[in-house]
């Protein structure tokens, strides 16, 4: 009887140890779209062209490759996960050598990217999982221009409202229907002076660049038109006139 008792106890201990070993060696899997929250935290009060970053989105839809997006291009890179660390292989060059982008995985919804060698930042970038309907551009619009604004009509002095939605829609500005905030590529240098740039889509489905400034202290939004583009010259355009002046109300 004692022998059976000890056998049962030994079996229970073995099962318990095995369960702990399995738990300790389990690695977190990544699935879905992860956006650069560290970039978005700076976007509200910073000239966007001065924010260093490796990428804005990492999309995990395949078991061994991740889609990297940086606003100008996108490409797939292989990755490997070992327990709580993900290695995105040969992600960038540093001092003449290819380096992996190392992700420290906190959970299946967040991780930090050790991208300091590439960006020169003091801290790693924090990424959070988002839905397919709320990617990086949605987050950027929300962190910068999204909101309701009051404008004064110069003709009848009536207060009207204009809304910039996080999904890129414009309501209340008859000549335009959509917008997108420029944060990388040639568009950030459209203005002669270093400025934040917005791309506006008019009712004829044509696009034009403009400068936007939002004073966080008083909520004043000003959008400026740029001079016409010159043939064979990218950007380097001066401010021509004021397109919109409005005050944020919500």
């Amino acid at each position: 009887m004692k022998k059976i008792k000890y056998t049962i106890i030994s079996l229970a201990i073995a099962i318990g140890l095995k369960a702990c070993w399995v738990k300790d060696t389990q690695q977190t899997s990544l699935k879905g779209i992860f956006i650069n929250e560290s970039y978005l935290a700076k976007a509200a009060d910073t000239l966007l062209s001065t924010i260093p970053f490796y990428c804005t989105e990492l999309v995990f839809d395949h078991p061994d490759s991740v889609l990297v997006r940086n606003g100008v291009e996108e490409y797939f890179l292989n990755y490997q996960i070992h327990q709580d660390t993900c290695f995105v292989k040969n992600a960038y060059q540093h001092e003449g050598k290819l380096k992996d982008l190392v992700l420290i995985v906190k959970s299946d919804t967040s991780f930090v990217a050790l991208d300091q060698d590439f960006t020169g930042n003091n801290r790693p970038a924090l990424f959070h999982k988002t839905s397919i309907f709320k990617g990086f551009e949605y987050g950027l619009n929300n962190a910068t221009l999204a909101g309701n604004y009051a404008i004064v009509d110069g003709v009848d002095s009536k207060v009207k409202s204009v809304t910039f939605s996080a999904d890129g829609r414009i309501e209340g500005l008859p000549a335009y229907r959509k917008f997108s905030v420029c944060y990388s590529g040639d568009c950030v240098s459209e203005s002669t002076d270093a400025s934040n740039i917005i791309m506006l889509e008019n009712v004829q489905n044509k696009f034009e660049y403009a400068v936007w400034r939002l004073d966080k202290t008083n909520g004043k939004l000003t959008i400026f038109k740029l001079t016409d583009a010159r043939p064979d010259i990218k950007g380097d355009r001066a401010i021509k006139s004021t397109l919109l002046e409005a005050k944020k109300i919500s």
Side-chain angles (χ1 to χ4, degrees):
M1 198 65 186
K2 284 185 177 181
K3 187 176 181 180
I4 295 175
K5 181 179 179 181
Y6 288 135
T7 301
I8 293 173
I9 293 172
S10 298
L11 182 60
I13 293 172
I15 292 173
L17 289 174
K18 183 177 180 181
C20 291
W21 179 81
V22 170
K23 183 177 180 180
D24 289 341
T25 57
Q26 278 184 338
Q27 62 185 30
T28 304
S29 61
L30 296 173
K31 181 72 174 176
I33 301 173
F34 294 78
I35 60 176
N36 191 333
E37 291 286 354
S38 293
Y39 182 102
L40 296 179
K42 299 175 183 176
D45 304 300
T46 310
L47 186 65
L48 300 186
S49 60
T50 66
I51 302 176
F53 64 94
Y54 172 71
C55 63
T56 56
E57 283 186 352
L58 289 170
V59 184
F60 291 87
D61 272 343
H62 298 84
D64 56 2
S65 65
V66 57
L67 178 62
V68 181
R69 292 175 174 158
N70 60 25
V72 177
E73 57 186 356
E74 54 183 52
Y75 46 88
F76 284 95
L77 292 175
N78 292 330
Y79 75 89
Q80 296 175 348
I81 295 181
H82 299 290
Q83 295 186 6
D84 65 346
T85 307
C86 176
F87 301 89
V88 181
K89 310 302 291 183
N90 298 328
Y92 59 88
Q93 283 196 10
H94 177 66
E95 297 180 348
K97 295 182 180 179
L98 283 174
K99 294 198 66 173
D100 296 345
L101 177 65
V102 179
L103 313 178
I104 305 302
V105 184
K106 295 183 174 182
S107 67
D108 59 357
T109 60
S110 68
F111 55 77
V112 293
L114 307 184
D115 58 358
Q116 295 98 313
D117 283 344
F118 183 85
T119 63
N121 286 326
N122 294 326
R123 296 181 179 180
L126 174 63
F127 284 73
H128 273 123
K129 188 174 182 178
T130 187
S131 73
I132 60 173
F133 304 106
K134 296 182 178 180
F136 178 79
E137 281 76 16
Y138 183 99
L140 181 60
N141 291 343
N142 200 43
T144 54
L145 288 178
N148 298 311
Y149 298 83
I151 57 177
V152 178
D153 191 299
V155 178
D156 53 20
S157 297
K158 289 184 178 180
V159 177
K160 299 181 180 180
S161 63
V162 58
T163 300
F164 291 84
S165 299
D167 60 7
R169 290 179 295 110
I170 301 175
E171 297 176 4
L173 204 59
Y176 303 97
R177 62 175 191 168
K178 291 183 181 180
F179 77 97
S180 59
V181 176
C182 298
Y183 60 94
S184 64
D186 292 338
C187 66
V188 298
S189 59
E190 281 295 322
S191 174
T192 300
D193 299 322
S195 304
N196 282 327
I197 304 295
I198 187 176
M199 187 165 64
L200 300 169
E201 180 182 343
N202 62 27
V203 292
Q204 287 81 34
N205 300 324
K206 294 182 179 180
F207 298 92
E208 61 183 82
Y209 292 108
V211 168
W212 65 272
R213 296 172 185 167
L214 180 60
D215 189 333
K216 290 291 182 178
T217 58
N218 57 24
K220 182 182 178 181
L221 171 66
T222 310
I223 298 179
F224 302 94
K225 282 191 172 185
L226 295 171
T227 55
D228 295 337
R230 291 173 289 175
D232 303 322
I233 297 178
K234 288 185 177 180
D236 199 26
R237 294 193 278 164
I239 288 175
K240 180 174 66 174
S241 60
T242 300
L243 173 64
L244 173 69
E245 285 186 337
K247 185 177 178 61
K248 193 169 186 178
I249 53 179
S250 64

